[in-house]
Every structure is written in structure tokens, then in C-alpha cells.
Amino acid sequence: MASLSSHLFEEIRPDFFRILGFENAALYLDAVDALAAAMPRRGEGLTRAEAVEIVADLLRMNPELRVEAETAEADSLSGRSNTVLNKLTASGWLEEPERSDYRRQIFLDANAEILLEAIRKIAQPDPAQFTGLLRMACGRLAEEEAVTTFSWEDLEACLANLESGLRELKAMSKSVERLTRKQLGTASLDRSVAIVYGDFSSEIANKCYRELVRAHLPEKLVEARRGLDRLLTNEAVLTRLQDGLMHHRKSLEPALALVEVARVFEAVESALGNVEPLTDRVDARTAEFARRSRARIHYLSSVGSARARQVEAVFGIMGERFAGQRLALAETDLDLPGLRIGDTATVSADSLRTPPAQRTITEVDAIADDVTDEERERALSAMEGNIAFSVTVDRAHRFLDEIGCTAGMTISTSEMSLRATSDTIEDLVSVLLYADTEAARYDVRVTRVEDGAVAYPADRIAGYEIDRFEVTRRG
């Protein structure tokens, strides 16, 4: 059997696809698109002069583009246009048949029309939709009376609906992925919000994702598979489908007809198996879009409000200092406040960058196959200890239980009787680290004393000075 490539290159010229890999492939693709749009609907082609003018308009709008293999004779605009047309004709995108009246007309090749339509769908995809074709196919397969009424036309219709429905799911997944990329590339808060409440709501959430959820496909897939098993195991159904196929294809032998029926059944079964993974992918990408959109909006709102306050403060200082003056005539030194940096005890030049650790390549000892039960128990005990003493919200709750901080009770670090160990510090870190999370069943408030100036008292715990804070256990 001849391969796909051999069939393909019997139909097109070898450089048909090569032109899309040229440096100025965009020019050739836009030229073909413009020529195809200008083709008369009555089946006639464009004159050579009309085609040259269309390509010349593209070159005028993109003067920086140079046509490959330009010659000295083709340095004019019309010469460059003719070069583009000649390349498209030589590669098989355009046709210029010889005529007895010597009139030069240009047509778009039939294969070029097919590929151009596919490229347009990739560049400008249709809005994602869910038309319920999957639901229709599952419903027909699950019908109890299908054993007596199911025909060859029904089997073909089920396969066609399943394949179309799978394409819809893939289009939905691709659309959500496209909106996620747009969201990550936004630089303004209003555009980020518009993508969520405009593009996503209109293209995905309201039109197709909501319908996908309402379709209850997981339950219907189970029923459809049961119905498919009933049809496959019923001899009368297989005979009816075989007769129906032979009625449509008179020259088909009974054995080959039965093989074709089995092949279509297998394709239907495979399509049913692909529905659930694709719906899971749509759900996963929709959740990813929601998560990234939330993070993006939070980031833009936080950065935007902080920058707005900073800019407002700077212009307020300048407005007071240079009231009634033009900024261009003001002093060079605006005497603005100095940069604010963190406490040098916390952040210093030495802590801004830590040089990478030097690693040496060593031999990795293989794990012996004859591991004893004692070694397994020891490893499990070590893992349990690591999990128990890791810095988690559960550790914070255990620590509060140990110090007697029950529901409704408030306790300060000054009242805590703690041992001077590293575990104690890690317990306190876990309390502070998870204080603002949803999983925490307690609240933390830093103690502050105001007496003319703001001061934060500290407690010395396990050799560390820790700002005093209070923990209130929620019920």
C-alpha cells in the first residue's frame, strides 16, 4: 500500500510547502490570501496586471520586506511584485494557463485553496462551542429499542457525531489555552479583568463550558458503552448492519462488509474512550485559567495601587516644593526622600546574593536488593518523624494543643513556657507561617505599645529575640 507522502507528492510540487519556510513567508501567505479574496466569484481569474497591483499594495505597506533571489532588473515595485507572482506560480500555489488569445490570467490552485482554508482556521479559529453531538450519539447508543431498530445509517451517524464532538472538545481546550496566554501577557488591570468577564465569559463559560457541564457526559458514557456492548453481542444487529452496508455498496462481499461493520464499531468504541480524557483536559485548562487570572489580577491590582501611591507621594512633594514654577526650571536636585531599604540586621549586602554551592561529582551507591525488615522499619520511622516535624499547619495546631491554647483562649509569647530547642522555634515559625491561611484555626496579632512612639516588645525564646505576638484559638 502506498504511503501518505507518496500520494501527497503525486498531487503537489515538491516546493509547494517550501515557500512557507522562506524568510518572507508572511509576504507570500498574505499575497495568496489577498489574491484569493480578490478572485471573481463567477469563476474567472485575475488579470496579470490586477494581480501585480494587489501584490504591489502589500509591498508598499511592508517596504522593509525583500523578496528572495531579487535581481537588478526587479528592484522596482512592479518588478518585485512579478517576482512574488512567479514564485507562487512555480511552487503551485497559483495557476497561469496558456491561452490562445495571449491574455494572461491568474487562478488559485485547488490544492492551495484547501491549504489556505486550513491556515485561516488555525489563524482565526471559530469560537468554541458545544452543540450536544456527543450527547446525541450517547443517547442513541443507550436506547433500549436500539437492538431492534439500529441501522447502518445510525451507526455512521453515531460515529460522525462522536468525531465532531471530539473536535469541539479539542477546540474548547485550545480556546481556553489561548485565553490563558492572553491573560499572562496582559499589562493592565482593566484588560486582565476584561479577559475574564468579557472574552472568557462570552466565548467559553456561557456558550460551551456551561453546556458541557449540563450534558452529564460521564453518566451518559457509561450507558452508551453498555448499549454498544448489547449491539456488538447481538447477531441480528450485526446481520442487519451488514445487509445495510451491502445495500449502499452493491459490489461489497458479505465477509468484507462484516469486517467494515466491525471496524466502524471499533472506531465508535475508541471515540467513546476519548471523550472523558478530553473533558478532563478542558476542566484542567479551565481551572488553570481561573487560577492564573486570579493571580494576575491580584498582582496587577497590588502593583498598580502601590505604584499609584508612590507616584502620588512624589508629585505631592514636588507640588509643595515648587509651587508656581515650571518643572523644567526647577533645581536639578529635587531633594526627594532617600531610598527606603530594609533593616540592615535583616537585609544586608552579604545576604543579597548567595554564591552557588560547589558540588563535586561522586559515585552514587546503588541500593542493595536484600533490604532487611529492620531496615525497612527504620526507614519508615524516619519518614514518619520527618512528616510529623515538618513545618505545616498541622504542626501549628499540635503546638497550640501542647501549650494548652484551647478554643476561645488567647495566649501571648510572654506567657508561653517553652524549652530552648530548635524544635520550639520551628513550632513558632509554623504558627506564624500559616496564620493567614484558610486551614489555620487560629488568629495571630502582633503586640504593639504606643507611648509617643511605636514600639514592639520582644521576648527571648530559645536564644532568639522574637517580637511579641498573641494567638487566639478559634472554636
Side-chain angles (χ1 to χ4, degrees):
M1 180 182 294
S3 63
L4 175 64
S5 60
S6 61
H7 284 304
L8 177 63
F9 292 112
E10 285 177 1
E11 294 292 329
I12 62 173
R13 302 179 187 180
D15 52 351
F16 182 78
F17 296 108
R18 191 181 305 158
I19 200 168
L20 298 178
F22 286 170
E23 182 180 356
N24 291 332
L27 171 62
Y28 296 109
L29 191 58
D30 289 342
V32 172
D33 186 43
L35 292 170
M39 288 285 175
R41 295 186 179 275
R42 57 182 179 274
E44 298 180 1
L46 297 171
T47 65
R48 181 79 182 193
E50 291 172 338
V52 168
E53 186 59 32
I54 291 172
V55 178
D57 288 340
L58 288 174
L59 293 173
R60 288 191 191 97
M61 291 185 291
N62 302 278
E64 73 283 357
L65 295 179
R66 292 185 58 82
V67 181
E68 285 85 353
E70 282 189 285
T71 61
E73 294 79 12
D75 55 356
S76 65
L77 192 60
S78 61
R80 296 170 64 195
S81 301
N82 276 294
T83 302
V84 172
L85 292 175
N86 291 338
K87 284 182 175 293
L88 290 172
T89 304
S91 60
W93 283 80
L94 300 178
E95 294 179 350
E96 191 175 10
E98 295 182 1
R99 296 169 56 98
S100 58
D101 56 3
Y102 299 104
R103 291 178 57 193
R104 303 184 68 179
Q105 280 194 316
I106 290 178
F107 299 86
L108 187 65
D109 183 81
N111 293 326
E113 288 186 13
I114 297 173
L115 185 57
L116 182 61
E117 185 64 24
I119 293 174
R120 285 170 176 165
K121 288 183 178 180
I122 296 175
Q124 300 171 337
D126 296 329
Q129 58 180 345
F130 182 78
T131 59
L133 294 175
L134 292 174
R135 183 171 47 202
M136 291 172 54
C138 292
R140 181 61 180 128
L141 291 171
E143 291 177 359
E144 293 290 342
E145 62 272 14
V147 175
T148 58
T149 62
F150 203 76
S151 64
W152 171 252
E153 291 80 6
D154 291 328
L155 183 60
E156 285 187 314
C158 285
L159 180 58
N161 287 338
L162 287 171
E163 290 176 342
S164 298
L166 291 175
R167 285 193 293 270
E168 290 177 359
L169 292 179
K170 292 176 182 177
M172 289 171 59
S173 178
K174 196 68 178 178
S175 297
V176 178
E177 180 186 4
R178 190 181 308 114
L179 289 176
T180 303
R181 290 199 306 268
K182 289 173 62 177
Q183 182 66 274
L184 294 178
T186 54
S188 62
L189 181 60
D190 56 345
R191 179 55 186 148
S192 182
V193 173
I195 290 176
V196 177
Y197 296 102
D199 300 344
F200 181 78
S201 296
S202 61
E203 295 179 18
I204 307 296
N206 294 329
K207 285 188 177 179
C208 53
Y209 188 72
R210 182 176 59 184
E211 297 301 321
L212 177 62
V213 174
R214 288 179 177 179
H216 300 292
L217 286 181
E219 297 88 346
K220 287 182 169 55
L221 285 172
V222 174
E223 298 172 358
R225 290 192 181 99
R226 292 173 181 168
L228 186 64
D229 290 337
R230 288 196 299 268
L231 297 175
L232 279 169
T233 55
N234 192 300
E235 292 292 339
V237 172
L238 296 177
T239 302
R240 189 188 317 126
L241 295 177
Q242 181 186 24
D243 294 339
L245 175 57
M246 292 175 63
H247 176 74
H248 287 280
R249 303 182 194 176
K250 304 292 185 182
S251 60
L252 199 61
E253 297 179 358
L256 294 178
L258 192 58
V259 170
E260 179 65 12
V261 170
R263 186 195 66 80
V264 178
F265 264 122
E266 185 179 353
V268 169
E269 187 176 10
S270 176
L272 288 174
N274 289 332
V275 172
E276 199 163 0
L278 284 176
T279 55
D280 290 343
R281 189 187 306 175
V282 173
D283 288 338
R285 287 190 171 173
T286 303
E288 178 72 3
F289 171 80
R291 185 182 67 80
R292 289 185 177 272
S293 295
R294 179 182 178 184
R296 191 67 179 173
I297 291 174
H298 176 72
Y299 168 75
L300 292 174
S301 60
S302 299
V303 172
S305 59
R307 291 289 182 268
R309 290 193 298 269
Q310 294 170 357
V311 172
E312 183 181 2
V314 170
F315 278 95
I317 294 173
M318 295 172 62
E320 294 176 358
R321 191 165 297 158
F322 307 107
Q325 301 183 38
R326 293 181 59 189
L327 186 59
L329 302 178
E331 302 174 6
T332 304
D333 184 7
L334 301 180
D335 192 23
L336 294 175
L339 293 176
R340 299 178 62 186
I341 62 173
D343 184 1
T344 55
T346 305
V347 179
S348 65
D350 295 333
S351 65
L352 294 180
R353 179 181 181 275
T354 303
Q358 297 293 329
R359 298 182 179 180
T360 57
I361 300 177
T362 59
E363 292 291 335
V364 178
D365 296 332
I367 298 176
D369 294 332
D370 53 344
V371 180
T372 63
D373 292 338
E374 182 182 354
E375 290 173 333
R376 290 194 184 93
E377 291 296 331
R378 190 162 55 248
L380 290 175
S381 299
M383 290 175 62
E384 290 174 359
N386 292 335
I387 294 173
F389 291 101
S390 58
V391 180
T392 62
V393 69
D394 292 333
R395 178 170 182 170
H397 291 149
R398 286 198 304 269
F399 171 70
L400 295 179
D401 292 336
E402 291 174 0
I403 63 175
C405 185
T406 57
M409 182 177 178
T410 300
I411 187 170
S412 171
T413 50
S414 62
E415 302 169 349
M416 297 179 184
S417 178
L418 304 174
R419 293 172 298 174
T421 63
S422 59
D423 289 341
T424 300
I425 299 302
E426 292 177 2
D427 290 337
L428 291 172
V429 168
S430 64
V431 171
L432 295 173
L433 185 61
Y434 293 96
D436 295 328
T437 63
E438 296 179 358
R441 298 191 298 274
Y442 58 88
D443 298 309
V444 171
R445 186 175 66 87
V446 179
T447 306
R448 187 174 67 183
V449 177
E450 297 185 7
D451 186 12
V454 177
Y456 294 91
D459 299 307
R460 189 167 185 83
I461 300 175
Y464 292 89
E465 292 289 336
I466 297 178
D467 289 341
R468 184 172 299 168
F469 62 90
E470 296 177 346
V471 182
T472 300
R473 195 73 177 268
R474 296 199 295 263

